[in-house]
């Protein structure tokens, strides 16, 4: 009995931790968007990549000199995908708002879950997901197609990130590959950060917003997710991650004063529901993961 109570308590703690992680991730994205007027999406992403590397590389201490060519190439691709994904997301947030951008980005892991499913019911989740995308984009003369393209680019990069992480995880022990990719990505963005900071001269508030994005959207979620994955099966973890677009929409509405109509909310619900259903039907396996 005591063992069951301890297990249930641990499960509740894990759920609460993951909810906090998701909320932190979206608050971080919102914080970053407040720095857009001065640094722009590129500058904010550069700060985020530098902070991610500053945390991961010293903690993990990847043995870079021992990496073989077979190990390096997926790490380099992962670094490229990592940076492009965040650039796409932040550029989309700048144009179409946090809630819609994050939901469209979520199509990436959803596509991986559906394509990797064996059961036809899981594959059928593509239909409500497609309807959700149409509801969010609402094609028309006033539609911001460039913002949508940025978000879908981020979605494709997230899908690639998941698949590359599989390869990196199989070839490099622990999380050394992820830390190495973060370091490479930060190195690529360092010249960008230097130019942006030299030309824009950001004030203290702008710097605080950008650093907040790095901490809240990278450091906190990464640490929390590692702790949760020790308690939760990957399938359940992926299902619970579906709350991210919902939190993104709520943070966008209440913190950034974004406007979402009933059709947008319907689209968010369809995509979130499709993701949860697809993962629940995937024979207990999941490829969900977070950058």
């Amino acid at each position: 009995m005591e063992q069951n109570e301890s297990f249930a308590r641990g499960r509740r703690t894990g759920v609460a931790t993951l909810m906090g992680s998701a909320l932190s991730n979206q608050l971080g994205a919102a914080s970053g968007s407040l720095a857009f007027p001065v640094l722009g999406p590129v500058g904010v992403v550069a700060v985020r990549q530098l902070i991610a590397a500053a945390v991961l590389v010293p903690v993990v201490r990847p043995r870079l000199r021992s990496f073989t060519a077979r190990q390096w190439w997926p790490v380099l691709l992962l670094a490229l995908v990592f940076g492009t994904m965040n650039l796409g997301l932040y550029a989309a947030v700048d144009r179409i708002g946090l809630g819609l951008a994050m939901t469209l980005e979520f199509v990436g892991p959803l596509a991986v879950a559906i394509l990797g499913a064996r059961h036809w019911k899981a594959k059928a989740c593509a239909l409500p997901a497609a309807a959700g995308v149409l509801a969010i984009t609402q094609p028309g003369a006033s539609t911001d197609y460039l913002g949508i393209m940025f978000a879908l680019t981020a979605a494709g990069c997230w899908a690639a990130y998941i698949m590359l992480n599989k390869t990196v995880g199989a070839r490099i022990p622990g999380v050394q590959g992820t830390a190495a990719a973060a370091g490479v990505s930060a190195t690529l963005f360092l010249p960008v950060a230097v130019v942006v900071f030299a030309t824009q001269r950001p004030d203290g508030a702008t710097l605080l917003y950008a650093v907040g994005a790095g901490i809240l959207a990278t450091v906190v979620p990464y640490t929390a997710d590692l702790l949760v994955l020790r308690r939760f099966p990957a399938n359940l973890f992926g299902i619970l991650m579906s709350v991210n677009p919902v939190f993104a929409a709520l943070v966008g509405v209440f913190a950034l004063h974004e406007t979402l109509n009933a059709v947008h909310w319907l689209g968010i619900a369809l995509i979130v529901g499709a993701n949860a259903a697809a993962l629940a039907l995937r024979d207990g396996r999941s490829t969900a993961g977070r950058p």
Side-chain angles (χ1 to χ4, degrees):
M1 177 67 90
E2 291 183 1
Q3 185 176 4
N4 289 337
E5 290 180 358
S6 177
F7 177 79
R9 189 162 50 248
R11 182 58 60 91
R12 288 194 297 270
T13 300
V15 171
T17 301
L18 189 56
M19 294 301 101
S21 168
L23 181 58
S24 176
N25 193 31
Q26 303 315 320
L27 288 172
S31 177
S33 71
L34 296 176
F36 286 169
V38 177
L39 297 179
V42 176
V44 174
V45 171
V47 172
R48 176 174 172 172
Q49 302 304 96
L50 291 170
I51 290 178
V55 172
L56 292 178
V57 174
V59 171
V60 177
R61 295 183 180 179
R63 300 176 179 177
L64 302 180
R65 293 183 179 180
S66 66
F67 285 10
T68 64
R70 186 170 177 271
Q71 292 172 320
W72 263 118
W73 77 259
V75 167
L76 295 176
L77 287 178
L78 191 62
L80 182 62
V81 165
F82 194 12
T84 305
M85 175 174 54
N86 287 326
L87 273 176
L89 175 62
Y90 277 68
V93 170
D94 190 34
R95 298 185 68 92
I96 63 176
L98 177 60
L100 301 186
M102 182 64 202
T103 305
L104 289 175
E105 188 197 29
F106 211 71
V107 171
L110 170 58
V112 174
I114 291 174
L115 292 173
R118 296 178 181 179
H119 201 289
W120 69 268
K121 290 183 179 179
K123 293 184 180 295
C125 291
L127 296 177
V133 171
L134 286 176
I136 286 176
T137 57
Q138 296 182 24
S142 61
T143 300
D144 191 333
Y145 290 104
L146 185 57
I148 291 170
M149 183 190 73
F150 283 141
L152 293 179
T153 297
C157 287
W158 196 349
Y161 180 90
I162 292 170
M163 304 308 294
L164 282 168
N165 252 335
K166 279 186 171 184
T167 303
V168 170
R171 297 182 184 182
I172 303 173
V175 292
Q176 290 189 61
T178 301
V184 172
S185 181
T187 302
L188 294 174
F189 273 95
L190 184 57
V192 176
V194 171
V195 171
V196 169
F197 277 73
T199 56
Q200 300 303 322
R201 308 267 181 173
D203 55 23
T206 299
L207 284 176
L208 186 62
Y209 291 141
V211 172
I215 294 174
L216 293 173
T218 301
V219 178
V220 173
Y222 180 83
T223 303
D225 291 354
L226 282 181
L227 294 174
V228 171
L229 279 170
R230 293 176 181 176
R231 295 175 178 267
F232 279 36
N235 194 49
L236 179 57
F237 176 83
I239 292 173
L240 291 173
M241 274 187 64
S242 298
V243 76
N244 272 282
V246 178
F247 279 171
L250 293 174
V251 169
V253 170
F254 291 105
L256 302 178
H257 308 293
E258 297 174 359
T259 301
L260 298 176
N261 59 37
V263 179
H264 287 146
W265 284 108
L266 175 61
I268 292 171
L270 286 171
I271 291 175
V272 168
N275 182 74
L279 289 172
L281 294 167
R282 282 203 60 208
D283 302 323
R285 296 184 300 114
S286 173
T287 54
R290 186 210 304 283

